[in-house]
Amino acid sequence: MYELITNLGAWLTSGTQWSGYDGIAHRLAEHLQYSLLATLIAAAIGLPLGLLIGHTGRGAFVAINLSSFGRALPTVGLVVLVFLASGLSMWPVYIALVALAVPSIVTNTYAGMTAVDPDVKDAARGQGMRWHQVLFQVELPLALPLIMTGLRLALIQVVATATIAAYVSFGGLGRYVFDGLAQRDLVQVMGGAVLVAVVAITLDLALSGVQRFLFRHRPA
C-alpha cells in the first residue's frame, strides 16, 4: 500500500504528466468543459421548468418524480443507447449529463418557490404587482438560496459523472480511469479517480463559499 501511494504521488506531481495532449492540465480542461457546458444546458432547461411549476402550482408531480428519475437513471446505459443512435460524437455524453443534472435543478427550484410564504405573495399582489413582477421580484429572490443549492448539486454530480466521456473514446479525466483499467495500471486509475474527486470537492467548496457570500446578510 505504501508503495502504491508513493507511486501515486509521483504520478500526480510529475512534470511530464502535466504537459502534452494527454497531460493532466489538458484532460482537466476537457473535463471542466464537458461539465460546465452540460450544467449550463441543464440550467437552461431546468430553471424555467422549476419556476413555472413552483409559480403556478401545476405539474408538481413532475418536479417530485424527477428526483427519483435522476437517481434511477442508468447513465452509462443512456450513453451507449444514444451513441448507437447518433454515432461517434459528444452528443451521447452531453445528453446523459444533462439528463442527470436537470432533476436536481428542477426539484430544488420548485422547493425554493413553494417555500416562499404565501402571505408575502398575497401582499405583493395586493400592491398591484402583476404575475411576472411577483415571480421575478418576490418569489425568485426568496427562492434563490435553494435554487443555487440545486445548481451546486447538479454541477458536482456532473463533474463526478463526466468520466463517461472516456467510455466513448473522448477525453476528460476519465481517460486515466479507462485507459488505466485497459492497461491494468492501478496507479493511473487511482490518479484519475483522485483528480475527479479533488475537482468535485474544490468546486463544491468554491460554490458554497460564493453562496455564503451572496446571502451573508440574509437571516437564517
Side-chain angles (χ1 to χ4, degrees):
M1 178 61 72
Y2 175 78
E3 182 181 357
L4 179 60
I5 294 175
T6 302
N7 291 338
L8 176 61
W11 186 87
L12 289 170
T13 56
S14 171
T16 56
Q17 188 60 48
W18 282 83
S19 60
Y21 179 78
D22 198 38
I24 294 175
H26 185 260
R27 294 304 184 195
L28 175 60
E30 290 177 327
H31 202 92
L32 290 174
Q33 176 190 331
Y34 303 156
S35 302
L36 293 176
L37 182 56
T39 305
L40 285 174
I41 295 172
I45 297 170
L47 284 176
L49 184 59
L51 290 173
L52 178 64
I53 294 173
H55 179 71
T56 63
R58 299 173 183 173
F61 69 96
V62 174
I64 295 170
N65 290 328
L66 268 178
S67 180
S68 300
F69 170 78
R71 288 192 294 267
L73 180 69
T75 310
V76 174
L78 181 60
V79 169
V80 173
L81 181 64
V82 180
F83 176 78
L84 292 174
S86 65
L88 184 61
S89 71
M90 274 297 297
W91 280 111
V93 176
Y94 282 125
I95 289 174
L97 294 178
V98 168
L100 177 69
V102 164
S104 294
I105 296 173
V106 172
T107 52
N108 275 67
T109 302
Y110 167 74
M113 294 289 286
T114 55
V116 177
D117 191 337
D119 292 338
V120 174
K121 293 185 284 187
D122 289 339
R125 295 189 189 99
Q127 292 179 351
M129 283 188 171
R130 297 179 180 273
W131 71 268
H132 60 277
Q133 292 176 311
V134 175
L135 172 60
F136 292 109
Q137 296 180 27
V138 178
E139 292 178 291
L140 181 57
L142 292 174
L144 201 54
L146 272 176
I147 292 174
M148 287 194 64
T149 298
L151 291 170
R152 175 179 155 198
L153 291 173
L155 178 58
I156 302 312
Q157 286 178 313
V158 168
V159 168
T161 312
T163 52
I164 60 173
Y167 189 77
V168 286
S169 302
F170 287 95
L173 296 174
R175 190 78 271 156
Y176 299 125
V177 176
F178 285 94
D179 289 350
L181 289 172
Q183 300 165 12
R184 297 185 179 180
D185 185 347
L186 185 57
V187 171
Q188 187 177 180
V189 173
M190 288 186 63
V194 167
L195 288 170
V196 172
V198 168
V199 171
I201 292 171
T202 301
L203 287 175
D204 187 37
L205 292 174
L207 291 176
S208 177
V210 170
Q211 190 170 350
R212 286 196 300 270
F213 175 77
L214 291 175
F215 304 110
R216 64 192 183 282
H217 299 308
R218 179 169 293 191

